[in-house]
Amino acid sequence: MTSKAPSPSPEILDIEDDSAEEATPACVLVFNANDPSGAGGLTADVTTIASVGGHPIAVVTGAYARDTAQIFDHFSFDDDAVAEQARAVLEDLPVQAIKIGFVGSPENISTIAEITADYDEVPVIAYMPNLSWWREELIDEYLDAFRELLLPQTSVLVGNHSTLWRWLLPDWSSDRSPTARDIARAASEMGVPYTLVTGIPLPEQFVENVLASPQAVLGSGKFELFDATFSGAGDTLSAALTSLVAAGNDLGEATSEALGYLDRCLDAGFRPGMGHIVPDRMFWALPDEDDDAAATEDEEPAIDEAQALEGFVMPPHDTKH
């Protein structure tokens, strides 16, 4: 089952566009772990960024031992190896946006924070995945370091409602679940101006994705739940958002496009192994067997245009150490 989300805009996916030959893809720097199953991690980032028209610059921070069903372990790279990878490409390529995924250790978080501080004019999109597969003491150390060192430099924080709630509002005591604005307010205390909260439960098998600041809901989209379990959706969404911001889209437009792109990826998802379904991040490159599959201009946008903040320009992050 899928929501009525728009297909990515022609500017992003039309490879026959005459202007595409003159355009230079935006360079997107990504810090993430390698996922050998292809479900998430750097594989998801690289494929997604390329799919929406960016040039991925991938810095390997470690590697998972995993399949499409579960994560068994993670092996973190030495922080010097992470720093040397990133510094080498940053001295050569003009980076328009930075995505930070799971980087494996407090030491790598510290190294990446030093690098992003040196490039504080570049927006940073940080994605926090569910870490419940990891050991509790390692989770606590990682989240503490991320909160202290990277959140102050984050332009947009992306994460599932449950994950962000447990992390940023651990003492929440109200009978109601925290809203996206509640989570955005908690993130803002660490210096984050905007938060994209996904998977907020709604009645009748729907979820809501909300872009919020501490002051307001900037946009929201209602999606019908898929009758399936996916791996890699969060990395896909955050990578698409980062690439679209890097290409010069304002945050409201980039969020709407990224959510629409993710919805199409999930709708075309496939099961390559015995585990979960993987988003098809190159769905548009396959032959279209159903003319009705393409979304029309009359379909509901991923973020309600009445609520979306138009003309919003992504600010550079400010270093707040």
Side-chain angles (χ1 to χ4, degrees):
M1 295 186 294
T2 181
S3 67
K4 294 180 179 179
S7 61
S9 66
E11 304 88 64
I12 299 170
L13 298 181
D14 186 0
I15 59 175
E16 296 182 357
D17 187 347
D18 291 339
S19 63
E21 294 181 0
E22 302 175 1
T24 300
C27 293
V28 183
L29 176 63
V30 180
F31 295 93
N32 210 341
N34 181 57
D35 176 357
S37 76
L42 276 180
T43 302
D45 291 333
V46 169
T47 309
T48 298
I49 291 166
S51 180
V52 300
H55 175 62
I57 304 171
V59 173
V60 186
T61 61
Y64 292 105
R66 67 159 299 170
D67 56 22
T68 56
Q70 62 182 313
I71 299 171
F72 302 104
D73 206 346
H74 174 270
F75 309 99
S76 182
F77 271 23
D78 181 83
D79 55 321
D80 287 338
V82 172
E84 289 190 24
Q85 290 179 78
R87 296 288 185 187
V89 292
L90 282 165
E91 291 177 5
D92 177 43
L93 300 169
V95 170
Q96 277 80 44
I98 298 171
K99 179 206 161 175
I100 301 172
F102 178 65
V103 300
S105 70
E107 291 78 16
N108 282 344
I109 288 174
S110 178
T111 292
I112 293 167
E114 292 177 5
I115 292 169
T116 55
D118 290 342
Y119 294 85
D120 61 0
E121 75 284 0
V122 180
V124 173
I125 285 77
Y127 168 58
M128 181 53 67
N130 181 350
L131 299 178
S132 60
W133 55 271
W134 217 13
R135 297 202 305 273
E136 185 173 353
E137 68 275 12
L138 296 179
I139 295 173
D140 291 341
E141 292 174 2
Y142 185 86
L143 293 180
D144 288 346
F146 208 104
R147 181 188 294 108
E148 179 182 349
L149 299 175
L150 280 177
L151 285 189
Q153 300 188 58
T154 296
S155 305
V156 184
L157 174 64
V158 182
N160 181 269
H161 178 257
S162 177
T163 298
L164 296 184
W165 169 4
R166 308 301 176 190
W167 176 29
L168 300 175
L169 294 168
D171 300 323
W172 185 262
S173 58
S174 174
D175 291 337
R176 68 170 179 84
S177 299
T179 66
R181 280 190 63 198
D182 292 326
I183 293 173
R185 278 193 288 266
S188 74
E189 294 178 2
M190 302 296 111
V192 181
Y194 304 100
T195 304
L196 176 55
V197 184
T198 66
I200 302 172
L202 294 176
E204 300 179 359
Q205 295 298 305
F206 283 88
V207 293
E208 188 175 29
N209 304 303
V210 177
L211 176 65
S213 72
Q215 295 77 30
V217 169
L218 308 179
S220 64
K222 180 180 176 182
F223 289 80
E224 188 174 1
L225 281 172
F226 285 85
D227 188 18
T229 302
F230 290 88
S231 291
D235 273 320
T236 303
L237 174 61
S238 51
L241 177 62
T242 308
S243 188
L244 290 162
V245 166
N249 297 279
D250 66 65
L251 182 57
E253 180 182 8
T255 303
S256 180
E257 291 281 2
L259 287 169
Y261 170 79
L262 174 64
D263 193 60
R264 295 291 301 280
C265 291
L266 298 183
D267 193 32
F270 61 101
R271 182 179 280 111
M274 296 182 290
H276 301 317
I277 295 175
V278 174
D280 185 353
R281 303 168 184 109
M282 302 294 288
F283 65 86
W284 54 269
L286 298 176
D288 189 358
E289 297 179 357
D290 185 357
D291 293 336
D292 295 330
T296 67
E297 294 180 357
D298 296 329
E299 290 181 325
E300 182 181 348
I303 282 190
D304 188 346
E305 291 180 356
Q307 298 184 49
L309 182 64
E310 297 181 358
F312 178 83
V313 178
M314 169 70 73
H317 70 267
D318 295 320
T319 303
K320 300 181 180 68
H321 291 315

